[in-house]
């Protein structure tokens, strides 16, 4: 089995090879994951939508792009800091509240261990965002120009990360609205949509087919041939529907995840 250090070095190389050119936008530096023993044990990857103002106090993309070692160091520092100090104490963030509950209900442990290590590799579809206009105008999910600018910089980095890290299970907490990005930038070899198929994990009268879908590649990437891939709603979606709907959804999802994980 390849060591954490070896994998981390390769991940860092992918980032420095990808992020070489300045952006027309003022972007935060990219989300870069820490590879630890917990990942090598379970090989679970959880992918969200976007970071929303990711440690912009430490610098921005253009200020670091010509110093790749510094960009990697800052990005890992931010990831480690967030895992150690924010994940377990992020009661105002519905995404991390959901993951905290998922870990307790499904894994029977905390999402972060006693040493501050996240129990999975966490990434986002959009690894950066605009920081000169924080709020809805600066995030890729609500601004097509920002989304295009982010993908211009990160390109197919996630595609190469998945091939390198070979996760056993990938959970996309992205909802159906980002299926186009999964198809064009994450699982496609040639930026084409229609390369994935989605099917219900099981019939459920309370939720539609998008609530918890199994993803299959029509042209299987060899490194991911054994990977189980699922896409569910982003927790924010059901949060807006009210507590009762959220509680029913969590009960349904956690029951199915126990069978998978």
């Amino acid at each position: 089995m390849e060591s954490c250090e070896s994998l981390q070095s390769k991940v860092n190389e992918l980032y420095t090879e990808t992020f070489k050119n300045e952006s027309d936008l003022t972007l935060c530096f990219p989300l870069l994951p820490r590879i630890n023993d917990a990942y090598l044990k379970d090989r679970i990857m959880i992918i969200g939508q976007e970071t929303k103002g990711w440690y912009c106090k430490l610098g921005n993309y253009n200020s670091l792009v010509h110093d790749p070692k510094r960009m990697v160091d800052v990005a890992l520092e931010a990831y480690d800091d967030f895992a150690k100090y924010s994940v377990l104490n992020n009661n105002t963030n519905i995404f991390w509240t959901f993951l905290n509950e998922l870990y307790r209900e499904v894994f029977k442990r905390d999402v972060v261990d006693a040493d501050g290590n996240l129990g999975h590799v966490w990434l986002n579809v959009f690894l950066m965002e605009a920081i000169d206009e924080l709020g809805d105008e600066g995030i890729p999910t609500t601004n097509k120009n920002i989304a295009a600018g982010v993908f211009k910089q990160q390109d197919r980095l996630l595609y190469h990360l998945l091939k390198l890290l070979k996760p056993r299970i990938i959970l996309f907490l992205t909802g159906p609205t980002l299926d186009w990005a999964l198809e064009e930038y994450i699982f496609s070899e040639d930026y084409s949509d229609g390369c994935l198929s989605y099917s219900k994990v099981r019939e459920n009268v309370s939720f539609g087919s998008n609530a918890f879908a199994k993803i299959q590649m029509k042209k299987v990437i060899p490194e991911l041939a054994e990977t189980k891939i699922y896409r569910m709603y982003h927790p924010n979606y059901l949060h807006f529907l009210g507590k009762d709907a959220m509680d029913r959804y969590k009960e349904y999802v956690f029951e199915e995840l126990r069978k998978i994980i």
Side-chain angles (χ1 to χ4, degrees):
M1 179 184 295
E2 191 167 5
S3 69
C4 295
E5 293 77 11
S6 175
L7 271 177
Q8 187 71 64
S9 178
K10 291 177 181 177
V11 168
N12 297 351
E13 276 185 35
L14 277 176
Y15 273 70
T16 56
E17 289 171 6
T18 300
F19 298 113
K20 293 180 178 179
N21 301 311
E22 291 189 12
S23 173
D24 296 332
L25 303 169
T26 305
L27 300 171
C28 67
F29 53 85
L31 177 67
L32 192 164
R34 173 72 70 185
I35 311 304
N36 57 35
D37 289 333
Y39 177 71
L40 293 187
K41 178 183 177 183
D42 294 326
R43 288 195 175 267
I44 293 174
M45 185 177 290
I46 299 178
I47 300 180
Q49 294 179 336
E50 60 209 348
T51 54
K52 291 195 174 181
W54 183 242
Y55 282 81
C56 50
K57 63 183 180 182
L58 298 179
N60 62 62
Y61 174 76
N62 282 348
S63 70
L64 295 171
V65 68
H66 299 300
D67 188 352
K69 183 181 184 304
R70 176 62 179 157
M71 178 180 284
V72 165
D73 289 345
V74 169
L76 287 175
E77 175 188 345
Y79 193 93
D80 291 341
D81 182 80
F82 187 78
K84 190 170 185 178
Y85 299 110
S86 299
V87 170
L88 291 177
N89 303 303
N90 213 332
N91 296 326
T92 60
N93 186 304
I94 191 65
F95 179 87
W96 288 105
T97 299
F98 179 83
L99 288 189
N100 274 297
E101 290 189 58
L102 185 156
Y103 264 76
R104 288 196 297 269
E105 295 294 325
V106 177
F107 292 101
K108 307 301 181 184
R109 66 175 189 266
D110 286 332
V111 64
V112 175
D113 67 20
D115 296 321
N117 297 307
L118 202 58
H120 58 277
V121 160
W122 163 51
L123 290 164
N124 286 317
V125 169
F126 297 105
L127 296 171
M128 349 155 66
E129 65 175 26
I131 61 174
D132 58 341
E133 43 185 345
L134 294 179
D136 289 346
E137 290 302 311
I139 58 177
T141 53
T142 59
N143 188 316
K144 291 182 179 179
N145 291 331
I146 301 295
V150 170
F151 276 131
K152 180 180 178 181
Q153 302 304 130
Q154 72 179 58
D155 195 32
R156 317 236 348 277
L157 176 58
L158 285 168
Y159 171 81
H160 295 295
L161 280 174
L162 295 191
K163 291 177 66 175
L164 172 64
L165 295 176
K166 301 179 180 66
R168 180 175 63 91
I169 294 172
I170 308 173
L171 301 178
F172 284 95
L173 273 68
T174 53
T177 57
L178 286 181
D179 285 352
W180 65 271
L182 273 59
E183 295 189 354
E184 293 181 31
Y185 287 93
I186 300 180
F187 290 101
S188 171
E189 294 185 350
D190 56 3
Y191 303 92
S192 61
D193 57 13
C195 66
L196 302 175
S197 62
Y198 306 83
S199 60
K200 288 184 182 181
V201 172
R202 70 172 167 88
E203 292 294 327
N204 186 293
V205 295
S206 299
F207 301 100
S209 59
N210 288 322
F212 192 15
K214 183 176 182 179
I215 294 178
Q216 292 181 305
M217 293 173 278
K218 295 178 181 178
K219 182 179 179 181
V220 176
I221 298 168
E223 293 87 347
L224 303 178
E226 303 299 322
T227 303
K228 298 177 180 178
I229 308 167
Y230 302 90
R231 191 262 287 125
M232 60 189 75
Y233 289 132
H234 190 284
N236 270 336
Y237 174 77
L238 285 167
H239 176 67
F240 289 118
L241 297 183
K243 185 178 184 303
D244 289 344
M246 185 63 162
D247 287 344
R248 290 196 306 273
Y249 178 68
K250 287 188 289 190
E251 182 180 0
Y252 162 54
V253 167
F254 294 165
E255 180 182 349
E256 295 306 316
L257 287 175
R258 290 187 194 101
K259 301 173 187 176
I260 296 164
I261 294 173

